[in-house]
Amino acid sequence: MASKFGLAGGIPERRVRPIWDAIDSRQFKTALKITTTLLSKHPHSPYALALKALILERMGKSDEALSVCLNAKELLCRDESLLMDDLTLSTLQIVFQRLDHLDLATSCYEHACGKFPNNLELMMGLFNCYVREYSFVKQQQTAIKMYKLVGEERFLLWAVCSIQLQVLCGNGGEKLLLLAEGLLKKHVASHSLHEPEALIVYFSILEQQEKYSDALEILTGKLGSLLMIEVDKLRIQGKLLARAGDYATAANVYQKILELCADDWEAFLHYLGCLFEDDSCWSNETINAPIHPPKFVECKLTHLTDEVFDSRISNASAFVQKLRAEASNDSLRNPYLAHLEIERRKFLFGKNNDDDLIEALLQYYSRFGHLACFTSDVEAFLQVVSPEKKMEFLDKLMKNSNSLSAVPTKALGQSITLLKTQELIGNMFRLSVGELEGSAVQMAELYRKNLPLSKELDPQESMHGEELLSIVCNVLVQLFWRTRNLGYFVEAIMVLEFGLTIRRYVWQYKILLLHLYSHFGALSLAYERYKSLDVKNILMETVSHHMLPQMLASPLWADLSNLIKDYLKFMDDHFRESADLTFLAYRHRNYSKVIEFVQFKERLQHSNQYLVARVESPILQLKQSADNIEEEESILESLKCGIDFVELSNEIGSKSLTFNEDFQSRPWWTPTKEKNYLLGPFEGISYYPKENLTKEREANVRGIVERKSLLPRMIYLSIQSASVLQKDSSEINGSLADPKISSELKTLLERYAKMLGFSLNDAVDVVVGVSHGLKSYEAFGSDIIDWLNFAVFFNAWNLNSHEFGQHGGECTPGSWHLVNSLLESYILGKVRSMEPLIQSPQGDLPILVQLVTEPLAWHGLVIQSCVRSCLPSGKKKKKSGSMDQSLSLLTHAIRDAIQSLCGILEEVAKWSQDQINSPEDNKIDILVSPLRRNGQDEGPGQVFHIFETLVSSPNETELGNRISQALRDWSPVDVARKIVSGQCTVLSEFWRICESKIKSLKTLKQQIAQV
Amino acid sequence: MTTIRRFCCNDLLRFASVNLDHLTETFNMSFYMTYLARWPDYFHVAEGPGNRIMGYIMGKVEGQGESWHGHVTAVTVAPEYRRQQLAKKLMNLLEEISDKIDKAYFVDLFVRASNTPAIKMYEKLGYVIYRRVLRYYSGEEDGLDMRKALSRDVEKKSIIPLKRPVTPDELEYD
Ligand SMILES: CC(C)(COP(=O)(O)OP(=O)(O)OC[C@H]1O[C@@H](n2cnc3c(N)ncnc32)[C@H](O)[C@@H]1OP(=O)(O)O)[C@@H](O)C(=O)NCCC(=O)NCCS
């Protein structure tokens, strides 16, 4: 950090060094002390002040830090004679940035650059400020100034990148690209280019303008030699040629690539694309393209005549033959996959029936069937053939299974592939219960028999046959779905736990387990499994969908809060630091990364999950504090009374969303977070699409965010509305009974109703109808929580409005009664019909939790607000004389409401308590005994039995020490006990929530009794 | 079957199935992005059919004078693509870039002393244990510093093993 003359910001370096040392070793107090001494010598040194501010900020004293910074800034800007060095400015910059005042840092640099217009260092600092602010236009202007000043290639490219960013991420028109191109052209003419990255940016500028032949000319010219890696160069060339429509030459280029890298699958697809003059593989390059593109390879063939197709395809075949012959080892899969792709195209073109494709698949199996990636390799090919053909393929594979490889690990691999193929084509859904059981048993046997193969393996390594247990689990869950026999479900859990006992690292098991435990109401256990996956950093964006949705409807608030907080922190940290990393890319001249980083940040900012988390986070806080209106109000205050969220709700319709979740690893029964087949009855669906159903999900997420982000504001307004009512209007002027509150709440109610598909009046009719028993709860559909919320907020509004007189008029109990009866009959109906958790996975617990922690809690807040405003407050002199009639009516209504809520909660609490208290051993028995019906060859327990036998007498010489020891550690009763206690944890938390509400209501009851 | 290309940010959203492996660390964003911003040629990903991520390698080049060297920070392959020479290919690519483009003297890496499969692989690829680094991993597990000489180190001086183990603060680069 030392400047050239041994001076740092005008202060001798030796005086400054100890300060930095102290800061670096986090000795902030010491640092502050030295700085204070320094400041006494140099009271007007902006640098010393900047250091002080930096230290204060680190110590958490943001306000002081800001004022010191502002002081320094003022000195800098006022005193013309002062030194303006980058060190001072960059130190100030750091502090301003940490204090979220980028604009102030920028204005310091702007001022400095104005004063010293030819100082390159300061200009770079200013450029950096604009990078941080994503001010692409100003970046461009600054870069151009630097370029004009010193003529360096890098500054030109900074400008070019800034232009490109305006077009890609800002609102710059495409014609700006022409400007960028002009700048580059001129520079190349006079100075040429020296960085490969510069060339790559040049190409992308040309490509964006579809000037492919210009780009090609440059590539094949002298500049092309900047690209040192031959294949990279060829890839660019191939793409440019193809985009320019010169498919024949492009195909030759791709041939060359394949000759160099025979295993390059993408190059092969492009090669075929060129042969068939089909540009569909390049058309998919938009920024918001899904992160997990469909596996299906797009292709267009219809524009080809028969003859053309024939000749091209035979060229391709010949080339693939040649590749295959030349391949140094025949473990290269590409040439064989290429053959499959050729057959697939023939089939799609109508040249062949699907027999040839099936034949090619069989050949592929005979060569690569033992590999774990076989099924994912062939998935796209199987997709195009008819269901009958798929079955035929499977039958043929089965026949093959008599002639497995002589190498045991290979034979095992082949067998597993067979099973995975069966899964892939959905055959499981066609088998009878008996057949499914048989196949589960067979797989478990296969696993058991092959266990000795892993005897010598290091525990860090995947074991042979590990995948079998996942498949067994899938089959058992299927059996559970069909028969609703809980035994299969528990058995599925046991299988995976068994697998983890043998090797504890298998993340695939953990994911399956966490879903099974979630479904079983043992959410705390699911969360344990989730934590053991060590999901952190960017994985939170792609993997947390396994856990977050269930947690949102759970009483495990502390865990949920951590989950959301960690995730939001990760995202927000990234947004904060991303610009600095972008600047790093500028500095290191990796210009293509500049564009990439900015686009990536945008992608994350538009993440649907991020939006949902941002809305759910305050809602969680509001739930957590709902029993204490003062706390609730201070949370609302920190949320600006929900105004920003209303804004979000308004905007969400027009915001573009990204979907970055990786659903690949989700179990078949819940392919997306919105779907869980086990909740519904068994349907003989034969194919479970695993693709992102992005369109559908998009509408869904928008709906959720739109609705939920109204909640904070509606809660706020409801509290307000309920707290002004009793001050009877004759006495008080308009300021308290604020008509604005009433009208705003009405507007929001109208919007809420509209989202539910109704006008306000009609929605009110629906809730009234249901509460009077004229309509059934079916009328609410799956939006029950939203409907009840609506009823609660409607009541709050009605307290302060005269519009819906027919429902009770001023402060009369009509709308109170409406809410009480809706909550009571729905919640109690649920509780009374619920089976013990231990016998009924999922059930209605999540909905019950939501009912209590959302609509019921919001209603509780309305009550609290009413009670508070009924109480004589210290400040105002107590109204003497008789209570007026409306107040008495109101207190009556409140008493009823309290009574009603207490009644509901007590029953719910008792239900939870009963579940918790039922004897553990009984519950364990319910789980384990159905599996221990030895000797049965029907029903659950057969797979379990195989493992029990294995465990009872492990053959140590065969299995080795480690596996034998693990087998001895296996205890199914422990697993059952963990399930039971996992459920109890959830129930206890729920019980605690109920109890706390009851307590708060009882206090209110006493208070209202005194009015 | 395998397309090897530069790693890009979007790949971070697609590598979950590779990174859930317990031996593969998921670093923070600034770590990945610093590598991308500074050494994009040392960060490669292998993609299979259906754009599946099969594995990736990340590394850098650094050092002064004769210790100018390539460094492998992480290499990992998804379980279903293992033992198909993929890690070898990725390693060879990094070695080639260090050798031919950056003219480095050697390539080095750290590996957990308990990660036998990886150590076996590195040995197979010609790496030798240059020294042991005590408690390198979170102050607990020892690390092995393994090296392979490149063509510029004609006498293979860079890989003569040290006699004694070192502590993390003795390391020249992190
Ligand atoms: C280590 C790892 C990268 C190997 O990947 P890979 O693609 O399977 O390795 P390759 O197929 O290229 O192996 C090349 C050679 O290394 C050796 N090798 C690889 N894995 C081995 C193992 N598990 N046991 C013994 N030798 C092994 C073999 O000699 C192999 O050649 P061969 O198959 O012809 O015998 C992979 O197992 C992995 O991702 N592990 C988890 C992450 C990790 O530990 N990374 C290293 C620390 S940063």
Side-chain angles (χ1 to χ4, degrees):
Chain A
M1 282 250 176
S3 69
K4 266 187 255 165
F5 313 106
L7 286 176
I11 298 173
E13 218 234 300
R14 69 192 150 80
R15 294 191 162 274
V16 180
R17 172 125 316 266
I19 301 179
W20 279 110
D21 287 345
I23 294 174
D24 287 344
S25 52
R26 310 187 59 81
Q27 310 272 348
F28 299 127
K29 278 198 179 141
T30 318
L32 193 59
K33 229 176 176 170
I34 316 177
T35 311
T36 311
T37 321
L38 188 69
L39 268 171
S40 64
K41 288 210 183 78
H42 308 268
H44 300 297
S45 153
Y47 183 58
L49 287 168
L51 281 174
K52 182 174 177 187
L54 183 99
I55 299 161
L56 288 169
E57 196 280 331
R58 293 287 163 90
M59 293 170 92
K61 302 181 180 177
S62 306
D63 292 344
E64 276 181 68
L66 183 59
S67 92
V68 176
C69 260
L70 287 172
N71 189 359
K73 175 173 183 280
E74 214 189 294
L75 281 170
L76 270 181
C77 297
R78 200 181 50 203
D79 195 338
E80 294 295 319
S81 64
L82 263 180
L83 195 74
M84 259 301 174
D85 65 334
D86 185 59
L87 181 59
T88 306
L89 289 169
S90 64
T91 310
L92 276 177
Q93 200 280 327
I94 293 171
V95 190
F96 277 134
Q97 184 176 16
R98 292 176 67 109
L99 295 171
D100 269 337
H101 277 293
L102 284 176
D103 51 325
L104 293 175
T106 307
S107 77
C108 286
Y109 270 103
E110 277 169 348
H111 179 83
C113 286
K115 220 159 122 184
F116 303 101
N118 292 333
N119 184 320
L120 197 62
E121 206 177 7
L122 292 177
M123 281 159 105
M124 280 165 78
L126 181 61
F127 181 83
N128 191 6
C129 286
Y130 292 141
V131 170
R132 289 197 170 95
E133 292 183 345
Y134 296 89
S135 312
F136 305 136
V137 178
K138 289 180 176 167
Q139 268 174 232
Q140 177 199 334
Q141 292 160 349
T142 313
I144 290 287
K145 273 190 203 146
M146 289 189 273
Y147 176 60
K148 288 204 173 132
L149 196 65
V150 291
E152 283 180 33
E153 176 177 315
R154 58 176 168 150
F155 298 127
L156 174 73
L157 276 128
W158 289 15
V160 169
C161 286
S162 306
I163 293 175
Q164 214 173 3
L165 285 170
Q166 291 170 53
V167 177
L168 290 173
C169 308
N171 38 21
E174 303 249 330
K175 63 178 190 304
L176 277 172
L177 295 170
L178 204 59
L179 171 66
E181 184 192 340
L183 287 167
L184 280 162
K185 225 184 216 159
K186 204 164 147 218
H187 183 87
V188 169
S190 53
H191 299 81
S192 182
L193 284 180
H194 301 90
E195 302 275 347
E197 276 275 325
L199 191 60
I200 288 176
V201 171
Y202 197 172
F203 288 148
S204 71
I205 295 277
L206 292 170
E207 243 182 284
Q208 270 169 282
Q209 304 177 81
E210 302 186 1
K211 299 185 175 171
Y212 305 115
S213 41
D214 292 355
L216 278 165
E217 203 171 303
I218 295 166
L219 181 71
T220 44
K222 225 171 54 209
L223 282 179
S225 61
L226 279 176
L227 301 173
M228 308 259 279
I229 302 174
E230 182 64 14
V231 210
D232 286 353
K233 193 166 156 182
L234 289 171
R235 281 184 190 153
I236 296 173
Q237 194 181 3
K239 182 174 163 193
L240 290 171
L241 282 165
R243 305 234 66 179
D246 186 355
Y247 290 113
T249 323
N252 286 337
V253 171
Y254 282 113
Q255 271 198 5
K256 265 192 225 157
I257 297 176
L258 286 163
E259 277 153 9
L260 291 168
C261 317
D263 214 19
D264 191 332
W265 175 241
E266 193 191 47
F268 177 73
L269 290 179
H270 287 162
Y271 164 69
L272 277 192
C274 293
L275 279 187
F276 296 135
E277 303 176 7
D278 165 13
D279 62 356
S280 39
C281 52
W282 287 283
S283 55
N284 213 350
E285 287 187 344
T286 55
I287 307 157
N288 277 341
I291 212 75
H292 300 281
K295 279 155 238 145
F296 193 75
V297 182
E298 300 256 352
C299 59
K300 284 195 292 228
L301 296 167
T302 39
H303 59 289
L304 300 171
T305 64
D306 244 29
E307 298 81 65
V308 174
F309 182 84
D310 282 344
S311 85
R312 306 270 162 94
I313 203 87
S314 69
N315 284 352
S317 287
F319 179 59
V320 168
Q321 287 288 344
K322 183 170 147 265
L323 281 182
R324 212 190 283 187
E326 285 168 2
S328 49
N329 62 21
D330 47 52
S331 68
L332 279 191
R333 279 150 47 237
N334 208 29
Y336 298 90
L337 268 185
H339 179 57
L340 277 173
E341 182 63 28
I342 288 175
E343 290 301 330
R344 188 179 80 104
R345 304 246 171 156
K346 279 190 195 163
F347 169 61
L348 290 176
F349 192 72
K351 270 287 144 187
N352 284 348
N353 59 27
D354 37 13
D355 286 336
D356 296 286
L357 183 51
I358 296 294
E359 187 50 40
L361 281 165
L362 285 169
Q363 278 175 20
Y364 192 73
Y365 176 80
S366 66
R367 190 171 286 269
F368 300 111
H370 62 287
L371 295 178
C373 56
F374 176 88
T375 34
S376 64
D377 281 357
V378 301
E379 202 174 343
F381 304 106
L382 274 174
Q383 254 175 39
V384 299
V385 301
S386 65
E388 297 76 44
K389 273 289 154 186
K390 286 183 194 164
M391 284 310 295
E392 194 183 311
F393 173 59
L394 190 65
D395 284 342
K396 289 188 172 156
L397 284 191
M398 301 262 199
K399 291 213 184 79
N400 232 317
S401 64
N402 307 323
S403 55
L404 295 179
S405 162
V407 185
T409 48
K410 268 196 168 178
L412 176 61
Q414 287 168 327
S415 305
I416 294 176
T417 294
L418 193 65
L419 295 162
K420 277 163 64 183
T421 310
Q422 186 169 339
E423 242 186 350
L424 180 70
I425 66 183
N427 192 42
M428 279 203 323
F429 297 88
R430 289 195 203 91
L431 299 181
S432 68
V433 166
E435 286 169 321
L436 277 176
E437 280 180 357
S439 104
V441 166
Q442 203 191 343
M443 288 186 246
E445 278 294 350
L446 195 59
Y447 177 83
R448 187 189 59 80
K449 272 198 236 123
N450 283 288
L451 213 42
L453 291 179
S454 306
K455 176 183 175 184
E456 305 286 338
L457 282 187
D458 190 277
Q460 312 268 19
E461 268 190 274
S462 312
M463 283 169 50
H464 300 291
E466 231 162 48
E467 284 174 289
L468 282 169
L469 298 190
S470 303
I471 312 175
V472 174
C473 162
N474 288 342
V475 172
L476 290 169
V477 173
Q478 166 90 223
L479 280 164
F480 164 71
W481 193 30
R482 291 204 197 177
T483 63
R484 290 289 156 187
N485 184 333
L486 184 64
Y488 293 116
F489 192 83
V490 179
E491 196 170 19
I493 293 178
M494 291 291 177
V495 166
L496 300 170
E497 287 288 357
F498 179 80
L500 283 180
T501 311
I502 296 190
R503 200 174 86 90
R504 66 190 163 95
Y505 300 113
V506 194
W507 59 265
Q508 292 88 342
Y509 298 170
K510 294 180 187 175
I511 287 183
L512 292 173
L513 271 172
L514 89 80
H515 286 283
L516 291 172
Y517 286 141
S518 298
H519 192 70
F520 211 173
L523 216 54
S524 59
L525 201 49
Y527 189 53
E528 286 297 311
R529 286 294 177 214
Y530 176 78
K531 280 191 287 186
S532 76
L533 290 171
D534 197 19
V535 176
K536 58 183 179 191
N537 301 321
I538 191 69
L539 291 184
M540 287 196 270
E541 171 69 356
T542 54
V543 180
S544 64
H545 61 85
H546 286 297
M547 200 67 236
L548 195 53
Q550 302 93 291
M551 292 296 269
L552 286 174
S554 91
L556 303 178
W557 286 343
D559 292 333
L560 172 59
S561 166
N562 286 335
L563 213 51
I564 296 184
K565 241 191 256 157
D566 289 349
Y567 172 62
L568 289 178
K569 179 174 183 325
F570 164 76
M571 296 292 269
D572 293 334
D573 282 353
H574 175 65
F575 301 145
R576 203 164 306 120
E577 72 193 8
S578 161
D580 284 324
L581 293 157
T582 306
F583 187 62
L584 191 70
Y586 273 112
R587 277 214 339 253
H588 286 273
R589 305 170 195 208
N590 287 314
Y591 313 112
S592 64
K593 293 293 168 192
V594 165
I595 311 287
E596 198 181 306
F597 285 6
V598 176
Q599 288 184 331
F600 188 67
K601 191 210 68 161
E602 295 216 322
R603 176 181 268 281
L604 289 190
Q605 269 176 327
H606 288 108
S607 153
N608 81 90
Q609 220 174 201
Y610 177 62
L611 269 178
V612 170
R614 268 185 41 207
V615 177
E616 292 286 359
S617 166
I619 292 178
L620 172 64
Q621 285 180 295
L622 292 170
K623 283 190 208 171
Q624 283 176 302
S625 298
D627 302 341
N628 182 330
I629 191 167
E630 275 81 31
E631 272 180 35
E632 193 81 344
E633 282 174 329
S634 77
I635 288 170
L636 283 166
E637 201 174 315
S638 74
L639 300 171
K640 291 204 237 155
C641 307
I643 301 247
D644 292 353
F645 287 98
V646 175
E647 193 77 355
L648 177 63
S649 178
N650 297 339
E651 287 171 353
I652 183 75
S654 56
K655 249 190 159 97
S656 71
L657 297 179
T658 58
F659 292 82
N660 304 320
E661 299 97 327
D662 183 352
F663 285 163
Q664 213 52 248
S665 54
R666 289 184 75 92
W668 67 262
W669 65 87
T670 166
T672 69
K673 48 188 172 185
E674 293 84 9
K675 276 214 169 79
N676 181 349
Y677 291 118
L678 300 185
L679 294 177
F682 171 71
E683 307 158 52
I685 318 167
S686 62
Y687 177 63
Y688 287 80
K690 274 205 145 196
E691 282 85 69
N692 281 347
L693 306 159
T694 307
K695 277 265 147 12
E696 200 178 299
R697 298 194 54 222
E698 188 157 351
N700 187 43
V701 169
R702 282 188 209 285
I704 290 174
V705 172
E706 193 176 11
R707 258 184 254 181
K708 290 215 161 180
S709 46
L710 292 184
L711 281 180
R713 186 68 185 165
M714 292 181 91
I715 293 170
Y716 170 79
L717 293 173
S718 295
I719 291 177
Q720 296 296 311
S721 175
S723 71
V724 292
L725 69 146
Q726 89 307 332
K727 281 116 189 163
D728 71 305
S729 34
S730 61
E731 185 189 317
I732 287 160
N733 56 24
S735 72
L736 265 178
D738 192 343
K740 270 198 229 139
I741 286 177
S742 179
S743 71
E744 190 187 344
L745 187 50
K746 184 182 176 195
T747 314
L748 293 184
L749 279 168
E750 276 164 349
R751 279 185 60 185
Y752 212 78
K754 195 168 159 215
M755 292 174 210
L756 292 168
F758 291 86
S759 70
L760 181 54
N761 282 322
D762 291 348
V764 172
D765 284 345
V766 173
V767 284
V768 170
V770 174
S771 88
H772 288 169
L774 301 173
K775 284 194 168 93
S776 87
Y777 277 97
E778 310 272 296
F780 294 158
S782 57
D783 297 322
I784 178 79
I785 303 290
D786 293 304
W787 274 106
L788 293 181
N789 281 342
F790 172 78
V792 167
F793 299 134
F794 169 71
N795 173 49
W797 172 73
N798 198 41
L799 295 174
N800 207 7
S801 151
H802 306 266
E803 281 183 45
F804 275 84
Q806 73 271 29
H807 299 301
E810 193 186 346
C811 302
T812 49
S815 58
W816 283 103
H817 180 73
L818 172 80
V819 179
N820 299 345
S821 77
L822 280 175
L823 288 172
E824 206 170 285
S825 65
Y826 194 75
I827 297 180
L828 294 184
K830 277 272 169 260
V831 174
R832 289 171 191 163
S833 67
M834 269 165 77
E835 286 182 54
L837 203 51
I838 198 75
Q839 285 166 15
S840 59
Q842 194 73 11
D844 286 326
L845 185 59
I847 191 90
L848 196 59
V849 172
Q850 278 177 285
L851 287 164
V852 169
T853 56
E854 293 173 42
L856 189 146
W858 313 146
H859 190 48
L861 279 165
V862 172
I863 295 175
Q864 290 177 61
S865 173
C866 281
V867 171
R868 186 176 58 181
S869 56
C870 288
L871 290 179
S873 79
K875 279 176 243 153
K876 266 173 279 151
K877 73 172 180 358
K878 196 178 169 187
K879 264 192 289 175
S880 56
S882 63
M883 244 196 293
D884 75 21
Q885 203 201 351
S886 70
L887 185 55
S888 113
L889 268 178
L890 176 68
T891 50
H892 193 77
I894 295 173
R895 262 182 232 129
D896 280 353
I898 294 177
Q899 196 59 37
S900 161
L901 289 197
C902 271
I904 299 172
L905 288 165
E906 273 161 5
E907 191 162 336
V908 175
K910 178 164 182 311
W911 177 85
S912 314
Q913 199 57 259
D914 289 348
Q915 303 277 312
I916 297 167
N917 289 342
S918 85
E920 187 180 60
D921 287 345
N922 284 357
K923 288 191 266 190
I924 292 178
D925 200 50
I926 289 174
L927 298 179
V928 180
S929 65
L931 303 181
R932 284 204 162 136
R933 309 164 309 129
N934 288 352
Q936 302 265 2
D937 49 11
E938 212 181 71
Q942 299 174 64
V943 170
F944 185 77
H945 183 65
I946 293 171
F947 295 149
E948 292 277 273
T949 320
L950 176 64
V951 169
S952 62
S953 54
N955 181 339
E956 184 140 358
T957 41
E958 237 188 22
L959 295 171
N961 186 13
R962 190 176 61 81
I963 297 178
S964 307
Q965 185 52 49
L967 288 173
R968 278 193 287 274
D969 291 342
W970 167 239
S971 161
V973 170
D974 281 354
V975 174
R977 181 169 292 118
K978 274 197 300 185
I979 296 174
V980 171
S981 77
Q983 288 185 341
C984 284
T985 308
V986 177
L987 288 165
S988 312
E989 281 303 304
F990 188 37
W991 177 81
R992 196 191 49 72
I993 290 168
C994 293
E995 284 297 312
S996 149
K997 293 199 186 304
I998 293 171
K999 207 172 134 209
S1000 131
L1001 287 167
K1002 286 196 169 147
T1003 314
L1004 292 174
K1005 197 167 161 183
Q1006 283 173 359
Q1007 289 174 337
I1008 198 79
Q1010 291 161 7
V1011 174
Chain B
M1 228 334 291
T2 319
T3 304
I4 297 181
R5 55 162 177 80
R6 271 186 178 193
F7 193 97
C8 62
C9 288
N10 282 346
D11 293 317
L12 294 168
L13 297 171
R14 306 200 292 126
F15 71 9
S17 63
V18 182
N19 272 44
L20 284 171
D21 178 281
H22 71 288
L23 286 169
T24 304
E25 175 72 15
T26 303
F27 299 103
N28 61 39
M29 287 297 284
S30 66
F31 195 79
Y32 289 120
M33 290 176 71
T34 302
Y35 274 77
L36 288 173
R38 299 189 56 181
W39 306 284
D41 285 328
Y42 282 73
F43 205 162
H44 278 94
V45 61
E47 242 181 0
N51 300 78
R52 279 189 174 75
I53 303 253
M54 306 165 72
Y56 61 86
I57 189 166
M58 83 191 264
K60 57 183 170 179
V61 58
E62 62 185 3
Q64 316 256 291
E66 291 196 355
S67 56
W68 173 245
H69 68 285
H71 176 79
V72 180
T73 305
V75 56
T76 175
V77 172
E80 65 267 37
Y81 298 103
R82 286 188 188 161
R83 296 310 280 267
Q84 293 186 46
Q85 311 294 314
L86 182 53
K88 179 178 162 178
K89 253 194 220 163
L90 292 167
M91 293 288 290
N92 289 345
L93 180 61
L94 187 139
E95 288 157 13
E96 189 168 307
I97 291 169
S98 303
D99 193 53
K100 304 262 160 57
I101 297 183
D102 287 311
K103 312 264 186 277
Y105 287 84
F106 60 92
V107 172
D108 75 351
L109 56 91
F110 295 106
V111 57
R112 284 177 187 274
S114 68
N115 190 352
T116 324
I119 296 169
K120 277 192 209 152
M121 174 187 74
Y122 295 133
E123 281 174 340
K124 175 80 180 256
L125 299 180
Y127 286 75
V128 299
I129 299 174
Y130 171 67
R131 59 188 167 180
R132 177 176 276 264
V133 188
L134 299 170
R135 294 177 300 283
Y136 176 73
Y137 291 96
S138 327
E140 286 164 25
E141 193 177 345
D142 288 357
L144 299 182
D145 178 355
M146 299 183 76
R147 288 187 176 186
K148 177 174 179 173
L150 299 177
S151 60
R152 190 163 176 194
D153 180 11
V154 183
E155 294 159 46
K156 308 225 175 298
K157 284 195 292 195
S158 61
I159 59 166
I160 302 166
L162 290 196
K163 296 264 159 15
R164 60 167 193 94
V166 297
T167 53
D169 45 316
E170 290 176 76
L171 293 176
E172 303 80 358
Y173 312 96
D174 50 23

